[in-house]
Amino acid sequence: MAKRKSFGGDGIHAGKKQKMNHVHEAPTSEEVHTGRQLRHLLTFEQDLQKARHGLQSFKNVLDSIVNNDEKKSDHMQILLDFLESSKPREVQDEVPVYLPDIMETWSMASQMNNENVMSAVPVVLALLLKVLSANVDQVSYGLGVCRTLLQKRQQELIAKNLSADKGKDFIISPTLRLLREAISLDGGALAAPIFRARINTFKSLARNLGLKYIGSGKEDPKRASVRTNATRLLLSCLKLLHNEAKRDLLLQRDIVAALMRHLRDDPPFLISEILDVLKTSVVQDKKLAKDVKIKILNAYSLTQIATLYGYSKEPSESEDSTESKKLSVEDAAHEILLATCTDSTVGICRSQQGFYPEGIAPDAFIPDAEAGTVSTMALTVYLG
């Protein structure tokens, strides 16, 4: 039988379907002068290119505020006017939806797999929460946005972003930053509800903790990798969750293992953050049971920390000013190992009295007159 000819073009692979690479087009934007203009730009658009234009214009306003540039005060007033005009009305027995047009745009982008807008929305929302958290009068609005994110529809959008393909850092990282801002807002007011929704909000977290920086040179803290963003989300949870929720988190073996697995490969700034939170929020947390601490301070984790002796990576230029004020990686590792393995009051060591009766402090000074009596008591207890 004669072979069927290929009419797809020349060459041996001509008949194969070629893989299409995602094209990142630079977004357009415009200068925003009023809150009304900003609201018009963010009105729901079925044309996602126009929607992206509006989101980028909004991002420019927020960047100006975060970076304290010369237009900060003007842009802050524009933002406040926009927030006031877009605040949902309180209706009895109805859950208010904050920023409904942006949420609708996100939903449509997700349905159409428009990755540029799927990335742009969490970028903007994370920046917005960052700005609102620094403005006491607007924290309540930020909490409203976070409660909107906890609604089922938005949870599903978050989960889809978090479980994007491994190479889609531009989608995963902004979503992780958004969750971190939401958890940290108002001292962790909504940390517990966000953690309870972890089937969506922590979707693919163990995998994302393994997506290390693979670029050339050193990782820039301002352009953090997926692992760095995922780690910071996890550390924020350890700092802000109450003990019961923290216990549930530490019982997630895949997440704990993923956190510690690549520790030695992490940049200095991230290792310092990890060790600092482990020390203050786990080791030194006296309300946290030792059997829970052991879930993260197990033999594997302690071995990973011990490998940091001799750590040789130098901080990047952007880290130098802050890192100089902190302990070196080696010293930080030594401190946490010392606290964990030698202090029975905070670490994982069990308290013990040796051969001394309960209630006797073995290191306490005992006058000579009483020494014989105590020794006799100890010997009696030992001999039974």
Side-chain angles (χ1 to χ4, degrees):
M1 181 182 293
K3 290 185 178 179
R4 186 171 57 185
K5 292 183 180 180
S6 170
F7 297 97
D10 298 331
I12 191 169
H13 298 295
K16 291 188 177 181
K17 186 177 180 180
Q18 298 297 312
K19 184 177 180 180
M20 300 296 292
N21 292 324
H22 180 74
V23 178
H24 295 281
E25 297 178 356
T28 59
S29 63
E30 63 185 73
E31 181 68 28
V32 180
H33 301 285
T34 65
R36 178 179 292 182
Q37 179 191 359
L38 181 57
R39 187 172 184 182
H40 175 72
L41 285 169
L42 295 175
T43 300
F44 174 67
E45 276 280 359
Q46 289 191 342
D47 184 345
L48 290 178
Q49 189 169 355
K50 288 184 179 179
R52 192 182 180 204
H53 173 90
L55 290 167
Q56 182 62 33
S57 302
F58 189 22
K59 180 180 181 296
N60 293 343
V61 171
L62 296 169
D63 279 336
S64 168
I65 298 171
V66 170
N67 296 328
N68 291 308
D69 71 11
E70 67 275 4
K71 293 184 178 180
K72 176 183 176 179
S73 58
D74 293 338
H75 284 154
M76 191 67 200
Q77 188 58 52
I78 291 170
L79 176 62
L80 294 176
D81 292 343
F82 164 72
L83 295 179
E84 183 62 31
S85 65
S86 62
K87 189 174 183 179
R89 288 178 294 179
E90 297 290 338
V91 180
Q92 190 174 6
D93 299 328
E94 285 189 18
V95 180
V97 177
Y98 283 70
L99 305 176
D101 288 324
I102 292 180
M103 301 302 170
E104 192 68 34
T105 297
W106 191 1
S107 178
M108 185 174 182
S110 182
Q111 292 172 23
M112 298 181 66
N113 285 321
N114 187 309
E115 295 177 338
N116 288 323
V117 177
M118 287 170 64
S119 170
V121 172
V123 166
V124 164
L125 292 178
L127 280 172
L128 176 61
L129 291 182
K130 187 172 185 177
V131 170
L132 296 180
S133 67
N135 190 323
V136 177
D137 295 333
Q138 298 302 321
V139 167
S140 60
Y141 195 101
L143 292 173
V145 174
C146 293
R147 292 189 181 98
T148 297
L149 292 174
L150 283 171
Q151 294 171 11
K152 183 179 178 181
R153 186 187 191 189
Q154 280 69 246
Q155 281 192 38
E156 291 171 350
L157 295 173
I158 288 170
K160 182 173 180 178
N161 275 22
L162 293 175
S163 57
D165 293 343
K166 291 182 179 181
K168 304 291 177 64
D169 298 27
F170 67 100
I171 295 176
I172 302 170
S173 282
T175 311
L176 291 167
R177 290 200 303 271
L178 171 59
L179 288 170
R180 185 187 178 210
E181 291 293 342
I183 283 174
S184 303
L185 186 66
D186 196 21
L190 294 178
I194 292 172
F195 178 69
R196 283 198 295 270
R198 59 187 175 276
I199 191 170
N200 288 314
T201 55
F202 278 21
K203 186 79 171 180
S204 302
L205 182 58
R207 183 207 68 172
N208 291 337
L209 283 165
L211 300 183
K212 302 182 295 180
Y213 173 73
I214 56 174
S216 58
K218 298 172 183 176
E219 181 178 347
D220 184 352
K222 295 179 181 178
R223 299 179 63 85
S225 65
V226 172
R227 171 170 168 80
T228 296
N229 284 306
T231 298
R232 285 173 167 168
L233 170 61
L234 181 58
L235 297 180
S236 295
C237 290
L238 288 175
K239 287 192 289 186
L240 296 169
L241 287 173
H242 57 79
N243 280 338
E244 280 301 313
K246 190 189 294 188
R247 176 183 179 277
D248 290 343
L249 176 57
L250 293 176
L251 290 176
Q252 308 294 315
R253 295 177 62 183
D254 56 338
I255 292 176
V256 170
L259 172 67
M260 305 305 294
R261 186 175 298 123
H262 304 291
L263 187 63
R264 188 173 174 82
D265 298 327
D266 286 330
F269 70 87
L270 186 58
I271 294 178
S272 296
E273 291 177 28
I274 293 171
L275 296 181
D276 181 59
V277 172
L278 287 181
K279 181 181 175 183
T280 57
S281 300
V282 178
V283 176
Q284 294 178 343
D285 186 351
K286 295 184 179 181
K287 294 181 180 179
L288 194 64
K290 289 186 179 181
D291 63 318
V292 177
K293 294 182 182 183
I294 290 173
K295 298 299 180 182
I296 191 168
L297 298 171
N298 51 35
Y300 176 76
S301 297
L302 295 177
T303 301
Q304 292 297 101
I305 295 173
T307 63
L308 297 175
Y309 287 115
Y311 182 87
S312 58
K313 287 186 181 179
E314 296 294 331
S316 62
E317 292 181 4
S318 58
E319 296 176 68
D320 284 339
S321 58
T322 55
E323 288 296 318
S324 60
K325 301 176 184 178
K326 296 181 179 179
L327 291 173
S328 68
V329 168
E330 284 187 272
D331 289 341
H334 183 70
E335 273 202 0
I336 191 172
L337 287 174
L338 202 63
T340 302
C341 302
T342 65
D343 190 343
S344 60
T345 62
V346 295
I348 59 174
C349 294
R350 298 182 185 277
S351 58
Q352 52 85 29
Q353 296 289 329
F355 293 135
Y356 291 89
E358 187 174 351
I360 299 295
D363 296 325
F365 173 75
I366 302 174
D368 292 340
E370 300 178 14
T373 304
V374 173
S375 299
T376 303
M377 288 172 57
L379 184 59
T380 303
V381 171
Y382 176 67
L383 295 176

